């Protein structure tokens, strides 16, 4: 199972939100690049970046912080938040981002994702599916759509998408455990590389995800609050090959 330490950026700083609420912010570092270096020094093999300002603005806002991270680490980096045009994807890939996460636009204009996959390939484009009670939320989680998460994922699969970041908004930043059942169901229904996001609070949560055959997990607040030791987690979950049994 691939682990993804999360670095959420707001105003050039490394923060965590609770349940995606922009008025519920905790700053963990003034320098996101320092956090990136720390996680890589502890064994991170892939980083997950979110431009929170970008998610609301609809375009990249924290590019300076993103550049700084890319210049100081040599592991793959995926980025979400405000990437809503082909030009934006191209610009981020040129900067050195490995995978761009498309969220809001995948719901509102699904054909856009097909175009991106055709142009950049399935290893460069990830679809971010953020759900509340199984329904997809958009616009930095400010609105809930009428589209079920599973339906969106299957549509994306038909376009060639391989990677999905699935966030259960109710769990995000709450340290209450991920929604293992919903993530497992989505993995089984779609056969996609579903990356669980939101709620991971301890090693047991990671064990539960791994046991259910879930391919990836994003760890945010649990790392920042010292509830999960990244080096131990990488040793436990990335070094072994787990089947789906």
């Amino acid at each position: 199972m691939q682990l993804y330490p999360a670095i959420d950026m707001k105003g050039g700083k490394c923060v965590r939100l609770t349940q995606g609420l922009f008025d519920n912010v905790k700053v963990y570092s003034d320098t996101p690049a320092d956090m990136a270096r720390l996680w890589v020094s502890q064994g991170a093999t892939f980083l997950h970046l979110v431009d929170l300002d970008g998610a609301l603005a609809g375009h990249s806002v924290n590019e300076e912080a993103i550049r700084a991270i890319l210049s100081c680490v040599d592991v793959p980096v995926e980025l979400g938040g405000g990437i809503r045009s082909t030009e934006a994807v191209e610009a981020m890939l040129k900067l050195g981002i490995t995978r761009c996460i498309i969220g809001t636009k995948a719901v509102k204009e699904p054909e856009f994702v097909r175009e991106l996959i055709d142009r950049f390939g399935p290893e460069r484009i990830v679809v971010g599916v953020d759900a509340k009670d199984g329904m997809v939320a958009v616009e930095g989680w400010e609105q809930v759509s009428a589209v079920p998460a599973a339906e969106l994922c299957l549509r994306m699969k038909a376009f060639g998408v391989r990677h999905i970041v699935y966030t259960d908004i109710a769990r995000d930043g709450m340290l209450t455990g991920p929604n293992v059942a919903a993530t497992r169901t989505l993995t089984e229904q779609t056969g996609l590389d579903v990356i669980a996001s939101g709620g991971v609070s301890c090693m047991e949560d990671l064990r539960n995800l791994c046991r259910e055959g879930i391919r990836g997990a994003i760890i945010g607040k649990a790392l920042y609050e010292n509830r999960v030791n990244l080096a131990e987690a990488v040793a436990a979950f990335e070094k072994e090959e787990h089947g789906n049994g």
Side-chain angles (χ1 to χ4, degrees):
M1 183 170 76
Q2 178 68 53
L3 303 180
Y4 300 85
I7 299 174
D8 291 7
M9 295 164 292
K10 188 175 194 308
K13 298 179 178 183
C14 175
V15 306
R16 300 302 298 165
L17 304 185
T18 298
Q19 293 187 312
L21 298 171
F22 281 77
D23 56 359
N24 202 333
V25 179
K26 186 168 179 181
V27 175
Y28 285 98
S29 171
D30 289 342
T31 316
D34 287 349
M35 298 312 304
R37 265 194 294 263
L38 176 66
W39 301 140
V40 171
S41 77
Q42 293 183 11
T45 57
F46 216 122
L47 294 176
H48 175 83
L49 308 187
V50 182
D51 183 341
L52 293 168
D53 300 305
L56 282 183
H59 56 84
S60 178
V61 175
N62 286 283
E63 190 175 314
E64 198 176 315
I66 294 163
R67 280 179 187 274
I69 288 169
L70 292 170
S71 70
C72 75
V73 300
D74 57 0
V75 300
V77 175
E78 63 181 24
L79 170 71
I83 304 174
R84 296 183 194 166
S85 69
T86 306
E87 294 73 26
V89 171
E90 198 154 33
M92 288 302 148
L93 294 179
K94 273 187 181 156
L95 271 189
I97 291 292
T98 306
R99 301 198 301 218
C100 289
I101 303 166
I102 310 299
T104 294
K105 191 116 178 194
V107 184
K108 297 194 164 183
E109 295 175 45
E111 289 294 328
F112 173 64
V113 175
R114 185 203 292 266
E115 290 163 20
L116 292 180
I117 294 283
D118 288 348
R119 179 158 177 183
F120 301 109
E123 289 308 317
R124 295 297 205 176
I125 305 300
V126 179
V127 172
V129 176
D130 304 329
K132 211 167 194 173
D133 302 321
M135 307 305 280
V136 176
V138 295
E139 302 291 353
W141 300 353
E142 305 278 312
Q143 301 169 20
V144 177
S145 74
V147 182
E151 186 182 303
L152 177 64
C153 288
L154 287 169
R155 189 162 187 191
M156 293 298 117
K157 186 181 182 180
F159 292 165
V161 168
R162 288 181 193 160
H163 307 283
I164 298 282
V165 170
Y166 176 67
T167 305
D168 186 305
I169 295 169
R171 311 281 180 124
D172 190 65
M174 297 298 287
L175 297 171
T176 52
N179 192 332
V180 178
T183 312
R184 183 193 66 216
T185 300
L186 207 55
T187 301
E188 288 172 349
Q189 286 178 333
T190 65
L192 292 165
D193 168 24
V194 179
I195 301 163
S197 171
V200 168
S201 66
C202 58
M203 290 289 275
E204 188 59 30
D205 289 338
L206 293 172
R207 268 191 286 279
N208 291 338
L209 289 168
C210 199
R211 200 178 293 127
E212 297 296 343
I214 289 153
R215 318 258 176 87
I218 291 165
I219 319 173
K221 193 175 272 189
L223 286 179
Y224 293 91
E225 303 277 352
N226 297 314
R227 289 167 177 244
V228 168
N229 177 295
L230 184 60
E232 282 176 26
V234 168
F237 303 109
E238 287 192 19
K239 300 294 190 277
E240 303 171 28
E241 284 300 318
H242 292 268
N244 289 329

